[in-house]
C-alpha cells in the first residue's frame, strides 16, 4: 500500500497521525508484506489496530517482552499481518516511540508501567469540585515533562466556581506550580474553555490524565463530539469517581488530532523522572546555579541562594519541600530499579551457566542428572 511507504498521497491513517516520518520508519516492514496501523486499544493480550482498511483485532504474543515498558500500548504504531494471513492476526513489531508516558507501579518489584505512546500533549484534568492538591499536580507535571510531551492543566467543573475572582485565584495557585504550562479553567457543562482546548489538541496526539472524578470521560465526550465514554457522577463527599474508564482508548477528534483517554489514576508514582522534576521546579534549579557550592543540598550551607529565596519570601517553603520529596522518591526508585536489574542479570547468568553444565554433562554421560 503506497501510503505506508510515502506521505505524498492521502491515507485513512492520516487522521490518526500518520506522517512521512512514520512512513520512513515503517519501510522495512512494508518490504516484508506487513501493513501499518495505530493501536487504539489494548486488553488481555490483544489489541485493536486502526489500519487503512479499517480497525482490525490483533494478537500481541510476538511482541510481549520482559520489560513492561516495551509492551504494546495505546498510541503505538504497529506492523501487523496483512488481511488473509490467518486468524488471529498478529502484531509483528512496533515502531520506535517518539515519546512515552510512564509511571511506576505499586508493585514491590519497582517496575514501570507505560500509559500511552507517541503523545504530543498531556492534558492533566483537575476537578474544581474538591480542594486543589498542588502536590499531585506537580507529580503529573513531572511525568508529563519526562515523557517528552507538552503538558496543559485543565481545571474542570469551572461552573462550580461562579465567582470570577475566586476562579482567578485558583488559576493563579496552579500557575505557581506549573511554570511554562498553560492553565485553563473549563466546564463541559457550559462549554467554557472547550474551544481553546480543542484548538490546542488539534495538532497531534493528546493523552487525558487525572484521578477518578476529575471529569475526564465527560471532557473526552465533549472533545470527540459524541458519547464515546460512559460517565458516572462523582461522590458529593470527596468528588471521587468510580473508574468509568477501564482501558486506554484512542479517538480521532473532529477538529483534527487524536485523543487517548485513560483510567483514573489512584497513584502517580514517578518513573526515572529527574529531568521532569527539574522542569516542574525550574525556579529552584535556576536559583541553585547561584549557590556557592555546586553540590549544595539547600539545607544549611553558607551562600545558598535557595535558602536566601526562602528567607526573603520569593520561594514558598512548600515548593522546596515538594521538590525535595519528589527528588528523594525518584532517587529511591532508580536505586531499586538498578538493584532489580542487577538481580535479574545475575539470575539469567546462573540459568545460562546451569544450562551449559547440563549440556556438558549430557554429552559426557548421555544423560541429565
Amino acid at each position: 500500500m503506497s501510503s505506508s511507504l510515502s506521505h505524498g498521497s492521502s491515507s485513512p491513517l492520516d487522521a490518526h497521525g500518520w506522517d512521512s516520518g512514520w512512513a520512513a520508519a515503517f519501510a522495512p516492514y512494508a518490504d516484508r508484506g506487513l501493513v501499518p496501523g495505530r493501536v487504539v486499544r489494548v486488553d488481555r493480550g490483544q489489541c485493536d489496530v486502526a489500519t487503512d482498511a479499517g480497525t482490525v483485532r490483533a494478537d500481541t504474543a510476538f511482541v510481549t517482552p520482559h520489560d513492561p515498558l516495551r509492551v504494546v500500548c495505546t498510541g503505538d504504531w504497529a506492523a501487523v499481518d496483512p488481511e488473509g494471513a490467518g486468524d488471529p492476526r498478529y502484531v509483528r513489531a512496533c515502531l520506535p516511540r517518539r515519546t512515552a508516558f510512564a509511571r511506576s507501579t505499586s508493585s514491590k518489584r519497582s517496575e514501570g508501567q507505560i500509559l500511552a505512546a507517541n503523545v504530543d500533549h498531556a492534558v492533566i484534568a483537575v476537578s474544581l469540585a474538591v480542594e486543589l492538591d498542588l502536590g499531585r499536580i506537580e507529580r503529573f507535571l513531572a511525568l508529563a515533562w519526562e515523557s517528552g510531551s507538552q503538558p496543559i492543566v485543565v481545571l474542570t467543573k469551572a461552573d462550580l466556581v461562579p465567582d470570577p475572582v475566586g476562579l482567578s485565584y485558583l488559576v493563579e495557585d496552579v500557575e505557581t506550580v506549573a511554570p511554562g504550562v498553560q492553565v485553563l479553567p473549563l466546564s463541559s457543562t457550559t462549554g467554557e474553555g472547550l474551544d481553546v482546548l480543542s484548538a490546542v489538541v488539534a495538532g497531534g496526539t493528546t493523552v487525558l490524565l487525572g484521578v477518578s472524578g476529575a471529569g475526564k470521560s465527560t471532557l473526552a465526550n465533549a472533545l470527540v463530539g459524541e458519547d464515546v465514554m460512559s460517565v458516572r457522577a462523582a461522590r458529593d463527599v470527596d468528588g471521587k469517581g468510580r473508574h468509568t474508564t477501564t482501558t486506554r482508548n484512542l479517538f480521532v477528534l473532529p477538529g483534527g488530532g487524536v485523543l487517548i483517554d485513560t483510567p483514573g489514576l489512584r497513584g502517580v508514582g514517578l518513573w526515572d523522572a529527574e529531568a521532569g522534576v527539574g522542569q516542574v521546579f525550574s525556579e529552584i534549579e535556576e536559583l541553585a546555579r547561584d549557590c556557592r557550592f555546586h553540590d549544595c543540598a539547600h539545607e544549611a550551607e553558607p551562600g545558598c541562594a535557595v535558602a536566601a529565596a526562602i528567607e526573603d519570601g520569593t520561594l514558598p517553603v512548600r515548593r522546596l519541600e515538594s521538590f525535595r520529596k519528589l527528588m528523594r522518591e525518584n532517587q529511591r526508585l532508580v536505586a531499586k530499579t538498578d538493584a532489580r536489574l542487577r538481580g535479574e542479570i545475575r539470575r539469567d547468568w546462573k540459568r545460562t551457566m546451569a544450562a551449559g553444565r547440563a549440556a556438558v554433562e549430557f554429552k559426557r554421560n548421555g544423560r541429565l542428572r
Side-chain angles (χ1 to χ4, degrees), residues 141 150-154 174-175 178-184 196-197 200:
L141 288 170
Q150 171 67 46
I152 175 173
V153 179
V154 171
V174 177
E175 288 176 339
V181 175
Q182 182 177 5
V183 179
L184 176 66
V196 177
L197 182 60
V200 171

Side-chain angles (χ1 to χ4, degrees), residues 27-303:
Y29 300 104
D31 293 340
R32 292 166 48 186
L34 301 175
V35 296
R38 192 158 199 194
V39 178
V40 298
R41 176 187 170 100
V42 180
D43 61 273
R44 298 185 180 86
Q46 292 190 318
C47 61
D48 294 335
V49 184
T51 70
D52 270 342
T55 300
V56 302
R57 190 74 168 163
D59 197 297
T60 65
F62 281 95
V63 282
T64 306
H66 295 297
D67 183 355
L69 294 177
R70 299 306 308 167
V71 298
V72 177
C73 178
T74 303
D76 271 325
W77 283 98
V80 299
D81 289 329
E83 187 176 3
D87 186 19
R89 295 166 72 169
Y90 287 95
V91 173
R92 298 293 174 172
C94 286
L95 301 186
R97 293 164 177 160
R98 294 177 180 174
T99 62
F101 198 103
R103 67 164 179 171
S104 66
T105 65
S106 58
S107 72
K108 297 180 179 179
R109 297 188 61 191
S110 65
E111 293 179 340
Q113 179 190 24
I114 184 73
L115 298 179
N118 302 311
V119 171
D120 301 295
H121 305 100
V123 171
I124 302 166
V126 179
S127 173
L128 290 179
V130 294
E131 185 177 353
L132 290 175
D133 187 336
L134 299 180
R136 180 182 288 147
I137 295 173
E138 288 166 340
R139 285 175 171 273
F140 272 115
L141 288 170
L143 292 178
W145 283 122
E146 190 69 32
S147 75
S149 61
Q150 171 67 46
I152 175 173
V153 179
V154 171
L155 302 180
T156 65
K157 308 180 184 181
D159 53 290
L160 299 180
V161 188
D163 177 21
V165 176
L167 181 59
S168 68
Y169 286 150
L170 292 172
V171 172
E172 288 178 8
D173 287 344
V174 177
E175 288 176 339
T176 61
V177 304
V181 175
Q182 182 177 5
V183 179
L184 176 66
L186 185 145
S187 170
S188 298
T189 301
T190 66
E192 175 190 356
L194 193 60
D195 55 341
V196 177
L197 182 60
S198 296
V200 171
V201 303
T205 297
T206 299
V207 63
L208 187 54
L209 304 157
V211 299
S212 297
K216 297 189 310 303
S217 295
T218 302
L219 181 54
N221 290 339
L223 289 171
V224 177
E226 58 181 290
D227 291 340
V228 293
M229 304 302 299
S230 62
V231 177
R232 295 173 66 181
R235 298 194 297 251
D236 293 334
V237 175
D238 53 14
K240 291 182 179 179
R242 301 179 179 83
H243 291 286
T244 55
T245 303
T246 57
T247 59
R248 299 169 192 91
N249 302 276
L250 185 148
F251 305 102
V252 175
L253 299 176
V258 297
L259 178 72
I260 299 176
D261 191 21
T262 64
L265 301 177
R266 290 191 179 92
V268 193
L270 301 183
W271 179 256
D272 196 7
E274 182 175 352
V277 173
Q279 185 80 28
V280 175
F281 298 91
S282 57
E283 80 276 29
I284 296 178
E285 299 221 323
E286 290 178 10
L287 287 167
R289 296 191 184 101
D290 294 328
C291 290
R292 181 181 302 177
F293 304 107
H294 75 277
D295 58 348
C296 183
H298 317 310
E299 299 283 356
E301 296 89 342

